[in-house]
Amino acid sequence: MHYRRLGRSGLKVSEISLGAWITFGNQVDEQLADQLIHAAYEQGINHFDNADVYANGQAEIIMGKAIRGLPREALVISSKVFWPTVPGPNGRGLSRKHIFEALHASLRRMGLEYLDLYYCHRYDPDTPIEEVVRSMDDLIRQGKILYWGTSEWEAAQIAQAYGVARQYNMQPPTMEQPEYNLFRRQRVENELAPLCKDFGLGLITWSPLAGGILSGKYNEGIVEGSRAALADMGWMRDQITPARIAMTRQVTALAQEIGVTTAQLAIAWLLRRKEVSSVITGASKPEQLDENLGALDVVDRLDDDLLEEIEKICDFASESG
Ligand code: NDP
């Protein structure tokens, strides 16, 4: 495993990390989560991603139990706040009240004294940016979180947070968590990359396989037992478009040519960018985790010819495809 600095901070995160969305508390029970986390840790993964809203808090409870036997100082644990978790107008968003209450609820569920990374899961137009930055800065000063960041914020919103932090001598966001995969690259490469250079922002990216599509598993249709086959995943089935499948088939062909799997090539391609500190993978089975970790051996094989081939494939599908 290689470790990269989280942006300009001193924190090192494993190039591949493991997240809990949809899996922990749904497809993945306590026992399997324990198995996945321990297998990941043994193979060098130090970063585990979560959010208060995943499986209504169950994902944090399950992850909290699974990491209990591991050395806390070896782990980088994250969670997020924004989406509704409590009824009522203050049970959501990024008000000072909800940030403080949500953070303490996450700590209780995970059985932790502090989180390493804490994200604003989305931008909140109802809360002044000064209030958000101040709340995060206070949590850092209290030792409840070590770094704070954003997820799916526009570049201008992140820049605004930097400006406010500088003006009032507060901690600016250290990282952004964007979607980044072969289907969705423009935001990271065109909008966020300049912020990484200018502000030292680190990127920890999500859905490297677009929920599994870029593993090639849906090339011949929906597979039983997969994420897209789950009853409440109609929105994911809608994302398995002919254009995306055509593109994935080309990635599969290229992967076969060099003797790796589609998933490994798709993940390795993300790690070619130095702005990416860590790629958060999801896994419902230990074999998937093992396969995805194999991407680390593919990164060095991405020479100019191969990257050019991938560029041609990427041109094939539009971002909305
Ligand atoms: P992926 O795109 O990697 O999708 C993971 C899913 O794909 C797995 O659960 C599995 O689903 C399938 N899969 C994974 N590897 C393989 C493989 N090798 N072969 C076949 N199928 C495979 O990532 P996620 O969408 O799960 O996102 C990763 C993490 O990112 C989340 O857990 C979360 O922590 C974070 N995230 C953050 C968001 C944000 O707003 N900040 C939004 C979404 C995610 P199955 O077996 O069921 O088919």
Side-chain angles (χ1 to χ4, degrees), residues 19-21 27 49 54 122 151 177 206-207 209-211 217 227 282 284 288 291-292:
W21 182 55
Q27 296 163 293
D49 182 67
Y54 295 168
R122 291 295 182 269
S151 180
Q177 190 175 123
W206 59 269
S207 283
L209 302 179
K217 72 197 295 178
R227 181 178 292 186
S284 68
Q288 294 173 348
E291 179 184 334
N292 298 347

mmCIF file with all atom_site columns, all heavy atoms in Angstrom, residues 19-21 27 49 54 122 151 177 206-207 209-211 217 227 282 284 288 291-292, ligand 1:
data_model
loop_
_atom_site.group_PDB
_atom_site.id
_atom_site.type_symbol
_atom_site.label_atom_id
_atom_site.label_alt_id
_atom_site.label_comp_id
_atom_site.label_asym_id
_atom_site.label_entity_id
_atom_site.label_seq_id
_atom_site.pdbx_PDB_ins_code
_atom_site.Cartn_x
_atom_site.Cartn_y
_atom_site.Cartn_z
_atom_site.occupancy
_atom_site.B_iso_or_equiv
_atom_site.pdbx_formal_charge
_atom_site.auth_seq_id
_atom_site.auth_comp_id
_atom_site.auth_asym_id
_atom_site.auth_atom_id
_atom_site.pdbx_PDB_model_num
ATOM   1   N N   . GLY A 1 19  ? -15.408 2.455  2.080   1.00 0.00 ? 19  GLY A N   1
ATOM   2   C CA  . GLY A 1 19  ? -16.570 3.209  2.554   1.00 0.00 ? 19  GLY A CA  1
ATOM   3   C C   . GLY A 1 19  ? -17.733 2.301  2.907   1.00 0.00 ? 19  GLY A C   1
ATOM   4   O O   . GLY A 1 19  ? -17.767 1.127  2.535   1.00 0.00 ? 19  GLY A O   1
ATOM   5   N N   . ALA A 1 20  ? -18.718 2.898  3.603   1.00 0.00 ? 20  ALA A N   1
ATOM   6   C CA  . ALA A 1 20  ? -19.808 2.103  4.193   1.00 0.00 ? 20  ALA A CA  1
ATOM   7   C C   . ALA A 1 20  ? -21.156 2.293  3.503   1.00 0.00 ? 20  ALA A C   1
ATOM   8   O O   . ALA A 1 20  ? -22.123 1.623  3.844   1.00 0.00 ? 20  ALA A O   1
ATOM   9   C CB  . ALA A 1 20  ? -19.945 2.469  5.671   1.00 0.00 ? 20  ALA A CB  1
ATOM   10  N N   . TRP A 1 21  ? -21.247 3.202  2.535   1.00 0.00 ? 21  TRP A N   1
ATOM   11  C CA  . TRP A 1 21  ? -22.544 3.568  1.930   1.00 0.00 ? 21  TRP A CA  1
ATOM   12  C C   . TRP A 1 21  ? -23.200 2.370  1.239   1.00 0.00 ? 21  TRP A C   1
ATOM   13  O O   . TRP A 1 21  ? -22.536 1.672  0.480   1.00 0.00 ? 21  TRP A O   1
ATOM   14  C CB  . TRP A 1 21  ? -22.335 4.695  0.917   1.00 0.00 ? 21  TRP A CB  1
ATOM   15  C CG  . TRP A 1 21  ? -23.562 5.207  0.260   1.00 0.00 ? 21  TRP A CG  1
ATOM   16  C CD1 . TRP A 1 21  ? -24.675 5.690  0.870   1.00 0.00 ? 21  TRP A CD1 1
ATOM   17  C CD2 . TRP A 1 21  ? -23.791 5.318  -1.149  1.00 0.00 ? 21  TRP A CD2 1
ATOM   18  N NE1 . TRP A 1 21  ? -25.577 6.097  -0.081  1.00 0.00 ? 21  TRP A NE1 1
ATOM   19  C CE2 . TRP A 1 21  ? -25.070 5.880  -1.325  1.00 0.00 ? 21  TRP A CE2 1
ATOM   20  C CE3 . TRP A 1 21  ? -23.036 5.005  -2.284  1.00 0.00 ? 21  TRP A CE3 1
ATOM   21  C CZ2 . TRP A 1 21  ? -25.616 6.126  -2.584  1.00 0.00 ? 21  TRP A CZ2 1
ATOM   22  C CZ3 . TRP A 1 21  ? -23.566 5.253  -3.529  1.00 0.00 ? 21  TRP A CZ3 1
ATOM   23  C CH2 . TRP A 1 21  ? -24.846 5.812  -3.670  1.00 0.00 ? 21  TRP A CH2 1
ATOM   24  N N   . GLN A 1 27  ? -26.456 -4.591 2.920   1.00 0.00 ? 27  GLN A N   1
ATOM   25  C CA  . GLN A 1 27  ? -25.939 -5.862 2.390   1.00 0.00 ? 27  GLN A CA  1
ATOM   26  C C   . GLN A 1 27  ? -24.915 -6.503 3.332   1.00 0.00 ? 27  GLN A C   1
ATOM   27  O O   . GLN A 1 27  ? -24.699 -7.711 3.282   1.00 0.00 ? 27  GLN A O   1
ATOM   28  C CB  . GLN A 1 27  ? -25.234 -5.619 1.052   1.00 0.00 ? 27  GLN A CB  1
ATOM   29  C CG  . GLN A 1 27  ? -26.107 -5.115 -0.065  1.00 0.00 ? 27  GLN A CG  1
ATOM   30  C CD  . GLN A 1 27  ? -25.235 -4.519 -1.162  1.00 0.00 ? 27  GLN A CD  1
ATOM   31  O OE1 . GLN A 1 27  ? -24.582 -3.500 -0.966  1.00 0.00 ? 27  GLN A OE1 1
ATOM   32  N NE2 . GLN A 1 27  ? -25.229 -5.145 -2.323  1.00 0.00 ? 27  GLN A NE2 1
ATOM   33  N N   . ASP A 1 49  ? -14.460 5.357  5.515   1.00 0.00 ? 49  ASP A N   1
ATOM   34  C CA  . ASP A 1 49  ? -15.374 6.493  5.337   1.00 0.00 ? 49  ASP A CA  1
ATOM   35  C C   . ASP A 1 49  ? -16.806 6.130  5.716   1.00 0.00 ? 49  ASP A C   1
ATOM   36  O O   . ASP A 1 49  ? -17.277 5.029  5.440   1.00 0.00 ? 49  ASP A O   1
ATOM   37  C CB  . ASP A 1 49  ? -15.334 6.937  3.862   1.00 0.00 ? 49  ASP A CB  1
ATOM   38  C CG  . ASP A 1 49  ? -16.216 8.145  3.599   1.00 0.00 ? 49  ASP A CG  1
ATOM   39  O OD1 . ASP A 1 49  ? -15.892 9.230  4.124   1.00 0.00 ? 49  ASP A OD1 1
ATOM   40  O OD2 . ASP A 1 49  ? -17.233 8.015  2.887   1.00 0.00 ? 49  ASP A OD2 1
ATOM   41  N N   . TYR A 1 54  ? -25.902 7.139  6.588   1.00 0.00 ? 54  TYR A N   1
ATOM   42  C CA  . TYR A 1 54  ? -25.816 5.809  5.971   1.00 0.00 ? 54  TYR A CA  1
ATOM   43  C C   . TYR A 1 54  ? -26.558 4.785  6.844   1.00 0.00 ? 54  TYR A C   1
ATOM   44  O O   . TYR A 1 54  ? -26.225 4.593  8.018   1.00 0.00 ? 54  TYR A O   1
ATOM   45  C CB  . TYR A 1 54  ? -24.366 5.362  5.769   1.00 0.00 ? 54  TYR A CB  1
ATOM   46  C CG  . TYR A 1 54  ? -23.563 6.188  4.776   1.00 0.00 ? 54  TYR A CG  1
ATOM   47  C CD1 . TYR A 1 54  ? -22.183 6.043  4.678   1.00 0.00 ? 54  TYR A CD1 1
ATOM   48  C CD2 . TYR A 1 54  ? -24.165 7.101  3.910   1.00 0.00 ? 54  TYR A CD2 1
ATOM   49  C CE1 . TYR A 1 54  ? -21.432 6.795  3.764   1.00 0.00 ? 54  TYR A CE1 1
ATOM   50  C CE2 . TYR A 1 54  ? -23.423 7.851  3.006   1.00 0.00 ? 54  TYR A CE2 1
ATOM   51  C CZ  . TYR A 1 54  ? -22.060 7.690  2.948   1.00 0.00 ? 54  TYR A CZ  1
ATOM   52  O OH  . TYR A 1 54  ? -21.324 8.443  2.055   1.00 0.00 ? 54  TYR A OH  1
ATOM   53  N N   . ARG A 1 122 ? -23.065 18.197 1.956   1.00 0.00 ? 122 ARG A N   1
ATOM   54  C CA  . ARG A 1 122 ? -23.460 19.051 0.833   1.00 0.00 ? 122 ARG A CA  1
ATOM   55  C C   . ARG A 1 122 ? -23.391 20.498 1.305   1.00 0.00 ? 122 ARG A C   1
ATOM   56  O O   . ARG A 1 122 ? -23.300 20.759 2.504   1.00 0.00 ? 122 ARG A O   1
ATOM   57  C CB  . ARG A 1 122 ? -24.902 18.744 0.354   1.00 0.00 ? 122 ARG A CB  1
ATOM   58  C CG  . ARG A 1 122 ? -25.098 17.383 -0.328  1.00 0.00 ? 122 ARG A CG  1
ATOM   59  C CD  . ARG A 1 122 ? -24.347 17.241 -1.652  1.00 0.00 ? 122 ARG A CD  1
ATOM   60  N NE  . ARG A 1 122 ? -24.600 15.950 -2.278  1.00 0.00 ? 122 ARG A NE  1
ATOM   61  C CZ  . ARG A 1 122 ? -23.865 14.848 -2.089  1.00 0.00 ? 122 ARG A CZ  1
ATOM   62  N NH1 . ARG A 1 122 ? -22.815 14.874 -1.283  1.00 0.00 ? 122 ARG A NH1 1
ATOM   63  N NH2 . ARG A 1 122 ? -24.165 13.718 -2.717  1.00 0.00 ? 122 ARG A NH2 1
ATOM   64  N N   . SER A 1 151 ? -18.173 18.047 0.693   1.00 0.00 ? 151 SER A N   1
ATOM   65  C CA  . SER A 1 151 ? -18.453 16.998 -0.288  1.00 0.00 ? 151 SER A CA  1
ATOM   66  C C   . SER A 1 151 ? -19.440 17.540 -1.308  1.00 0.00 ? 151 SER A C   1
ATOM   67  O O   . SER A 1 151 ? -20.511 18.039 -0.926  1.00 0.00 ? 151 SER A O   1
ATOM   68  C CB  . SER A 1 151 ? -19.019 15.755 0.386   1.00 0.00 ? 151 SER A CB  1
ATOM   69  O OG  . SER A 1 151 ? -19.287 14.767 -0.590  1.00 0.00 ? 151 SER A OG  1
ATOM   70  N N   . GLN A 1 177 ? -14.741 15.870 -1.039  1.00 0.00 ? 177 GLN A N   1
ATOM   71  C CA  . GLN A 1 177 ? -15.048 14.489 -1.439  1.00 0.00 ? 177 GLN A CA  1
ATOM   72  C C   . GLN A 1 177 ? -16.002 14.524 -2.647  1.00 0.00 ? 177 GLN A C   1
ATOM   73  O O   . GLN A 1 177 ? -17.203 14.661 -2.499  1.00 0.00 ? 177 GLN A O   1
ATOM   74  C CB  . GLN A 1 177 ? -15.672 13.713 -0.279  1.00 0.00 ? 177 GLN A CB  1
ATOM   75  C CG  . GLN A 1 177 ? -15.781 12.232 -0.590  1.00 0.00 ? 177 GLN A CG  1
ATOM   76  C CD  . GLN A 1 177 ? -16.281 11.372 0.572   1.00 0.00 ? 177 GLN A CD  1
ATOM   77  O OE1 . GLN A 1 177 ? -17.281 10.686 0.433   1.00 0.00 ? 177 GLN A OE1 1
ATOM   78  N NE2 . GLN A 1 177 ? -15.610 11.403 1.700   1.00 0.00 ? 177 GLN A NE2 1
ATOM   79  N N   . TRP A 1 206 ? -15.235 9.441  -4.459  1.00 0.00 ? 206 TRP A N   1
ATOM   80  C CA  . TRP A 1 206 ? -16.219 8.377  -4.225  1.00 0.00 ? 206 TRP A CA  1
ATOM   81  C C   . TRP A 1 206 ? -16.745 7.753  -5.514  1.00 0.00 ? 206 TRP A C   1
ATOM   82  O O   . TRP A 1 206 ? -16.630 8.323  -6.585  1.00 0.00 ? 206 TRP A O   1
ATOM   83  C CB  . TRP A 1 206 ? -17.357 8.847  -3.340  1.00 0.00 ? 206 TRP A CB  1
ATOM   84  C CG  . TRP A 1 206 ? -18.214 10.019 -3.742  1.00 0.00 ? 206 TRP A CG  1
ATOM   85  C CD1 . TRP A 1 206 ? -17.986 11.331 -3.407  1.00 0.00 ? 206 TRP A CD1 1
ATOM   86  C CD2 . TRP A 1 206 ? -19.445 10.009 -4.492  1.00 0.00 ? 206 TRP A CD2 1
ATOM   87  N NE1 . TRP A 1 206 ? -18.992 12.120 -3.909  1.00 0.00 ? 206 TRP A NE1 1
ATOM   88  C CE2 . TRP A 1 206 ? -19.916 11.340 -4.584  1.00 0.00 ? 206 TRP A CE2 1
ATOM   89  C CE3 . TRP A 1 206 ? -20.206 9.000  -5.086  1.00 0.00 ? 206 TRP A CE3 1
ATOM   90  C CZ2 . TRP A 1 206 ? -21.092 11.699 -5.243  1.00 0.00 ? 206 TRP A CZ2 1
ATOM   91  C CZ3 . TRP A 1 206 ? -21.395 9.348  -5.751  1.00 0.00 ? 206 TRP A CZ3 1
ATOM   92  C CH2 . TRP A 1 206 ? -21.823 10.675 -5.819  1.00 0.00 ? 206 TRP A CH2 1
ATOM   93  N N   . SER A 1 207 ? -17.329 6.556  -5.335  1.00 0.00 ? 207 SER A N   1
ATOM   94  C CA  . SER A 1 207 ? -17.901 5.755  -6.440  1.00 0.00 ? 207 SER A CA  1
ATOM   95  C C   . SER A 1 207 ? -16.948 5.581  -7.621  1.00 0.00 ? 207 SER A C   1
ATOM   96  O O   . SER A 1 207 ? -17.280 5.940  -8.753  1.00 0.00 ? 207 SER A O   1
ATOM   97  C CB  . SER A 1 207 ? -19.234 6.346  -6.913  1.00 0.00 ? 207 SER A CB  1
ATOM   98  O OG  . SER A 1 207 ? -20.257 6.008  -6.007  1.00 0.00 ? 207 SER A OG  1
ATOM   99  N N   . LEU A 1 209 ? -16.260 3.002  -9.179  1.00 0.00 ? 209 LEU A N   1
ATOM   100 C CA  . LEU A 1 209 ? -16.816 2.078  -10.187 1.00 0.00 ? 209 LEU A CA  1
ATOM   101 C C   . LEU A 1 209 ? -18.242 2.471  -10.562 1.00 0.00 ? 209 LEU A C   1
ATOM   102 O O   . LEU A 1 209 ? -18.965 1.665  -11.151 1.00 0.00 ? 209 LEU A O   1
ATOM   103 C CB  . LEU A 1 209 ? -16.797 0.640  -9.637  1.00 0.00 ? 209 LEU A CB  1
ATOM   104 C CG  . LEU A 1 209 ? -15.416 0.100  -9.218  1.00 0.00 ? 209 LEU A CG  1
ATOM   105 C CD1 . LEU A 1 209 ? -15.539 -1.312 -8.665  1.00 0.00 ? 209 LEU A CD1 1
ATOM   106 C CD2 . LEU A 1 209 ? -14.452 0.125  -10.398 1.00 0.00 ? 209 LEU A CD2 1
ATOM   107 N N   . ALA A 1 210 ? -18.643 3.700  -10.219 1.00 0.00 ? 210 ALA A N   1
ATOM   108 C CA  . ALA A 1 210 ? -20.020 4.154  -10.462 1.00 0.00 ? 210 ALA A CA  1
ATOM   109 C C   . ALA A 1 210 ? -21.005 3.122  -9.908  1.00 0.00 ? 210 ALA A C   1
ATOM   110 O O   . ALA A 1 210 ? -21.957 2.717  -10.584 1.00 0.00 ? 210 ALA A O   1
ATOM   111 C CB  . ALA A 1 210 ? -20.254 4.419  -11.944 1.00 0.00 ? 210 ALA A CB  1
ATOM   112 N N   . GLY A 1 211 ? -20.733 2.692  -8.688  1.00 0.00 ? 211 GLY A N   1
ATOM   113 C CA  . GLY A 1 211 ? -21.632 1.750  -8.011  1.00 0.00 ? 211 GLY A CA  1
ATOM   114 C C   . GLY A 1 211 ? -21.468 0.315  -8.481  1.00 0.00 ? 211 GLY A C   1
ATOM   115 O O   . GLY A 1 211 ? -22.255 -0.552 -8.113  1.00 0.00 ? 211 GLY A O   1
ATOM   116 N N   . LYS A 1 217 ? -19.592 -5.748 -14.490 1.00 0.00 ? 217 LYS A N   1
ATOM   117 C CA  . LYS A 1 217 ? -20.538 -6.813 -14.098 1.00 0.00 ? 217 LYS A CA  1
ATOM   118 C C   . LYS A 1 217 ? -21.904 -6.676 -14.770 1.00 0.00 ? 217 LYS A C   1
ATOM   119 O O   . LYS A 1 217 ? -22.651 -7.637 -14.840 1.00 0.00 ? 217 LYS A O   1
ATOM   120 C CB  . LYS A 1 217 ? -20.686 -6.852 -12.584 1.00 0.00 ? 217 LYS A CB  1
ATOM   121 C CG  . LYS A 1 217 ? -21.459 -5.701 -11.992 1.00 0.00 ? 217 LYS A CG  1
ATOM   122 C CD  . LYS A 1 217 ? -21.221 -5.562 -10.502 1.00 0.00 ? 217 LYS A CD  1
ATOM   123 C CE  . LYS A 1 217 ? -21.743 -6.733 -9.720  1.00 0.00 ? 217 LYS A CE  1
ATOM   124 N NZ  . LYS A 1 217 ? -21.448 -6.563 -8.279  1.00 0.00 ? 217 LYS A NZ  1
ATOM   125 N N   . ARG A 1 227 ? -25.824 -4.616 -6.529  1.00 0.00 ? 227 ARG A N   1
ATOM   126 C CA  . ARG A 1 227 ? -26.447 -3.380 -6.040  1.00 0.00 ? 227 ARG A CA  1
ATOM   127 C C   . ARG A 1 227 ? -27.641 -2.980 -6.911  1.00 0.00 ? 227 ARG A C   1
ATOM   128 O O   . ARG A 1 227 ? -28.692 -2.598 -6.406  1.00 0.00 ? 227 ARG A O   1
ATOM   129 C CB  . ARG A 1 227 ? -25.406 -2.249 -6.009  1.00 0.00 ? 227 ARG A CB  1
ATOM   130 C CG  . ARG A 1 227 ? -25.976 -0.947 -5.480  1.00 0.00 ? 227 ARG A CG  1
ATOM   131 C CD  . ARG A 1 227 ? -24.935 0.163  -5.410  1.00 0.00 ? 227 ARG A CD  1
ATOM   132 N NE  . ARG A 1 227 ? -23.916 -0.090 -4.396  1.00 0.00 ? 227 ARG A NE  1
ATOM   133 C CZ  . ARG A 1 227 ? -22.972 0.786  -4.061  1.00 0.00 ? 227 ARG A CZ  1
ATOM   134 N NH1 . ARG A 1 227 ? -22.932 1.967  -4.643  1.00 0.00 ? 227 ARG A NH1 1
ATOM   135 N NH2 . ARG A 1 227 ? -22.070 0.496  -3.136  1.00 0.00 ? 227 ARG A NH2 1
ATOM   136 N N   . GLY A 1 282 ? -16.127 0.715  -2.500  1.00 0.00 ? 282 GLY A N   1
ATOM   137 C CA  . GLY A 1 282 ? -17.153 0.039  -1.711  1.00 0.00 ? 282 GLY A CA  1
ATOM   138 C C   . GLY A 1 282 ? -17.061 -1.433 -2.046  1.00 0.00 ? 282 GLY A C   1
ATOM   139 O O   . GLY A 1 282 ? -16.674 -1.794 -3.156  1.00 0.00 ? 282 GLY A O   1
ATOM   140 N N   . SER A 1 284 ? -19.167 -5.312 -1.223  1.00 0.00 ? 284 SER A N   1
ATOM   141 C CA  . SER A 1 284 ? -20.159 -6.106 -0.502  1.00 0.00 ? 284 SER A CA  1
ATOM   142 C C   . SER A 1 284 ? -19.609 -7.502 -0.206  1.00 0.00 ? 284 SER A C   1
ATOM   143 O O   . SER A 1 284 ? -20.243 -8.281 0.489   1.00 0.00 ? 284 SER A O   1
ATOM   144 C CB  . SER A 1 284 ? -21.460 -6.212 -1.311  1.00 0.00 ? 284 SER A CB  1
ATOM   145 O OG  . SER A 1 284 ? -21.254 -6.987 -2.477  1.00 0.00 ? 284 SER A OG  1
ATOM   146 N N   . GLN A 1 288 ? -14.255 -8.756 -3.678  1.00 0.00 ? 288 GLN A N   1
ATOM   147 C CA  . GLN A 1 288 ? -14.252 -7.470 -4.410  1.00 0.00 ? 288 GLN A CA  1
ATOM   148 C C   . GLN A 1 288 ? -13.140 -6.572 -3.882  1.00 0.00 ? 288 GLN A C   1
ATOM   149 O O   . GLN A 1 288 ? -12.429 -5.918 -4.644  1.00 0.00 ? 288 GLN A O   1
ATOM   150 C CB  . GLN A 1 288 ? -15.597 -6.769 -4.257  1.00 0.00 ? 288 GLN A CB  1
ATOM   151 C CG  . GLN A 1 288 ? -16.756 -7.503 -4.927  1.00 0.00 ? 288 GLN A CG  1
ATOM   152 C CD  . GLN A 1 288 ? -18.104 -6.868 -4.621  1.00 0.00 ? 288 GLN A CD  1
ATOM   153 O OE1 . GLN A 1 288 ? -18.205 -6.018 -3.735  1.00 0.00 ? 288 GLN A OE1 1
ATOM   154 N NE2 . GLN A 1 288 ? -19.133 -7.288 -5.332  1.00 0.00 ? 288 GLN A NE2 1
ATOM   155 N N   . GLU A 1 291 ? -9.839  -7.796 -5.151  1.00 0.00 ? 291 GLU A N   1
ATOM   156 C CA  . GLU A 1 291 ? -9.662  -7.460 -6.574  1.00 0.00 ? 291 GLU A CA  1
ATOM   157 C C   . GLU A 1 291 ? -9.341  -5.969 -6.730  1.00 0.00 ? 291 GLU A C   1
ATOM   158 O O   . GLU A 1 291 ? -8.414  -5.602 -7.451  1.00 0.00 ? 291 GLU A O   1
ATOM   159 C CB  . GLU A 1 291 ? -10.948 -7.790 -7.353  1.00 0.00 ? 291 GLU A CB  1
ATOM   160 C CG  . GLU A 1 291 ? -10.830 -7.441 -8.826  1.00 0.00 ? 291 GLU A CG  1
ATOM   161 C CD  . GLU A 1 291 ? -12.129 -7.677 -9.609  1.00 0.00 ? 291 GLU A CD  1
ATOM   162 O OE1 . GLU A 1 291 ? -12.952 -8.526 -9.215  1.00 0.00 ? 291 GLU A OE1 1
ATOM   163 O OE2 . GLU A 1 291 ? -12.311 -6.981 -10.631 1.00 0.00 ? 291 GLU A OE2 1
ATOM   164 N N   . ASN A 1 292 ? -10.091 -5.137 -6.027  1.00 0.00 ? 292 ASN A N   1
ATOM   165 C CA  . ASN A 1 292 ? -9.906  -3.694 -6.184  1.00 0.00 ? 292 ASN A CA  1
ATOM   166 C C   . ASN A 1 292 ? -8.539  -3.230 -5.691  1.00 0.00 ? 292 ASN A C   1
ATOM   167 O O   . ASN A 1 292 ? -7.940  -2.314 -6.254  1.00 0.00 ? 292 ASN A O   1
ATOM   168 C CB  . ASN A 1 292 ? -11.036 -2.937 -5.476  1.00 0.00 ? 292 ASN A CB  1
ATOM   169 C CG  . ASN A 1 292 ? -12.392 -3.272 -6.089  1.00 0.00 ? 292 ASN A CG  1
ATOM   170 O OD1 . ASN A 1 292 ? -12.469 -3.859 -7.162  1.00 0.00 ? 292 ASN A OD1 1
ATOM   171 N ND2 . ASN A 1 292 ? -13.468 -2.920 -5.406  1.00 0.00 ? 292 ASN A ND2 1
HETATM 172 P P1  . NDP B 2 .   ? -18.092 1.867  -6.014  1.00 0.00 ? 1   NDP B P1  1
HETATM 173 O O1  . NDP B 2 .   ? -18.358 2.658  -7.214  1.00 0.00 ? 1   NDP B O1  1
HETATM 174 O O2  . NDP B 2 .   ? -16.751 1.229  -5.871  1.00 0.00 ? 1   NDP B O2  1
HETATM 175 O O3  . NDP B 2 .   ? -19.246 0.761  -5.901  1.00 0.00 ? 1   NDP B O3  1
HETATM 176 C C1  . NDP B 2 .   ? -19.143 -0.244 -4.927  1.00 0.00 ? 1   NDP B C1  1
HETATM 177 C C2  . NDP B 2 .   ? -20.057 -1.404 -5.259  1.00 0.00 ? 1   NDP B C2  1
HETATM 178 O O4  . NDP B 2 .   ? -19.720 -1.958 -6.522  1.00 0.00 ? 1   NDP B O4  1
HETATM 179 C C3  . NDP B 2 .   ? -19.860 -2.531 -4.264  1.00 0.00 ? 1   NDP B C3  1
HETATM 180 O O5  . NDP B 2 .   ? -20.619 -2.349 -3.100  1.00 0.00 ? 1   NDP B O5  1
HETATM 181 C C4  . NDP B 2 .   ? -20.269 -3.729 -5.079  1.00 0.00 ? 1   NDP B C4  1
HETATM 182 O O6  . NDP B 2 .   ? -21.691 -3.759 -5.139  1.00 0.00 ? 1   NDP B O6  1
HETATM 183 C C5  . NDP B 2 .   ? -19.708 -3.381 -6.449  1.00 0.00 ? 1   NDP B C5  1
HETATM 184 N N1  . NDP B 2 .   ? -18.300 -3.802 -6.607  1.00 0.00 ? 1   NDP B N1  1
HETATM 185 C C6  . NDP B 2 .   ? -17.210 -3.287 -5.999  1.00 0.00 ? 1   NDP B C6  1
HETATM 186 N N2  . NDP B 2 .   ? -16.094 -3.884 -6.431  1.00 0.00 ? 1   NDP B N2  1
HETATM 187 C C7  . NDP B 2 .   ? -16.469 -4.798 -7.335  1.00 0.00 ? 1   NDP B C7  1
HETATM 188 C C8  . NDP B 2 .   ? -15.763 -5.723 -8.127  1.00 0.00 ? 1   NDP B C8  1
HETATM 189 N N3  . NDP B 2 .   ? -14.442 -5.799 -8.079  1.00 0.00 ? 1   NDP B N3  1
HETATM 190 N N4  . NDP B 2 .   ? -16.478 -6.526 -8.964  1.00 0.00 ? 1   NDP B N4  1
HETATM 191 C C9  . NDP B 2 .   ? -17.825 -6.445 -9.038  1.00 0.00 ? 1   NDP B C9  1
HETATM 192 N N5  . NDP B 2 .   ? -18.557 -5.592 -8.287  1.00 0.00 ? 1   NDP B N5  1
HETATM 193 C C10 . NDP B 2 .   ? -17.881 -4.748 -7.451  1.00 0.00 ? 1   NDP B C10 1
HETATM 194 O O7  . NDP B 2 .   ? -18.227 2.767  -4.723  1.00 0.00 ? 1   NDP B O7  1
HETATM 195 P P2  . NDP B 2 .   ? -19.513 3.252  -3.878  1.00 0.00 ? 1   NDP B P2  1
HETATM 196 O O8  . NDP B 2 .   ? -20.552 3.797  -4.757  1.00 0.00 ? 1   NDP B O8  1
HETATM 197 O O9  . NDP B 2 .   ? -19.874 2.170  -2.934  1.00 0.00 ? 1   NDP B O9  1
HETATM 198 O O10 . NDP B 2 .   ? -18.860 4.453  -3.080  1.00 0.00 ? 1   NDP B O10 1
HETATM 199 C C11 . NDP B 2 .   ? -17.718 4.195  -2.262  1.00 0.00 ? 1   NDP B C11 1
HETATM 200 C C12 . NDP B 2 .   ? -17.791 5.023  -1.012  1.00 0.00 ? 1   NDP B C12 1
HETATM 201 O O11 . NDP B 2 .   ? -17.763 6.405  -1.342  1.00 0.00 ? 1   NDP B O11 1
HETATM 202 C C13 . NDP B 2 .   ? -19.079 4.854  -0.180  1.00 0.00 ? 1   NDP B C13 1
HETATM 203 O O12 . NDP B 2 .   ? -19.052 3.720  0.635   1.00 0.00 ? 1   NDP B O12 1
HETATM 204 C C14 . NDP B 2 .   ? -19.045 6.118  0.637   1.00 0.00 ? 1   NDP B C14 1
HETATM 205 O O13 . NDP B 2 .   ? -18.137 5.972  1.705   1.00 0.00 ? 1   NDP B O13 1
HETATM 206 C C15 . NDP B 2 .   ? -18.495 7.135  -0.365  1.00 0.00 ? 1   NDP B C15 1
HETATM 207 N N6  . NDP B 2 .   ? -19.581 7.888  -1.019  1.00 0.00 ? 1   NDP B N6  1
HETATM 208 C C16 . NDP B 2 .   ? -19.696 9.230  -0.736  1.00 0.00 ? 1   NDP B C16 1
HETATM 209 C C17 . NDP B 2 .   ? -20.694 9.988  -1.284  1.00 0.00 ? 1   NDP B C17 1
HETATM 210 C C18 . NDP B 2 .   ? -20.774 11.424 -0.961  1.00 0.00 ? 1   NDP B C18 1
HETATM 211 O O14 . NDP B 2 .   ? -21.795 12.069 -1.264  1.00 0.00 ? 1   NDP B O14 1
HETATM 212 N N7  . NDP B 2 .   ? -19.777 12.000 -0.346  1.00 0.00 ? 1   NDP B N7  1
HETATM 213 C C19 . NDP B 2 .   ? -21.702 9.406  -2.190  1.00 0.00 ? 1   NDP B C19 1
HETATM 214 C C20 . NDP B 2 .   ? -21.482 8.000  -2.453  1.00 0.00 ? 1   NDP B C20 1
HETATM 215 C C21 . NDP B 2 .   ? -20.452 7.288  -1.902  1.00 0.00 ? 1   NDP B C21 1
HETATM 216 P P3  . NDP B 2 .   ? -22.574 -5.099 -5.320  1.00 0.00 ? 1   NDP B P3  1
HETATM 217 O O15 . NDP B 2 .   ? -21.734 -6.276 -4.951  1.00 0.00 ? 1   NDP B O15 1
HETATM 218 O O16 . NDP B 2 .   ? -23.734 -4.898 -4.441  1.00 0.00 ? 1   NDP B O16 1
HETATM 219 O O17 . NDP B 2 .   ? -22.985 -5.092 -6.763  1.00 0.00 ? 1   NDP B O17 1
#
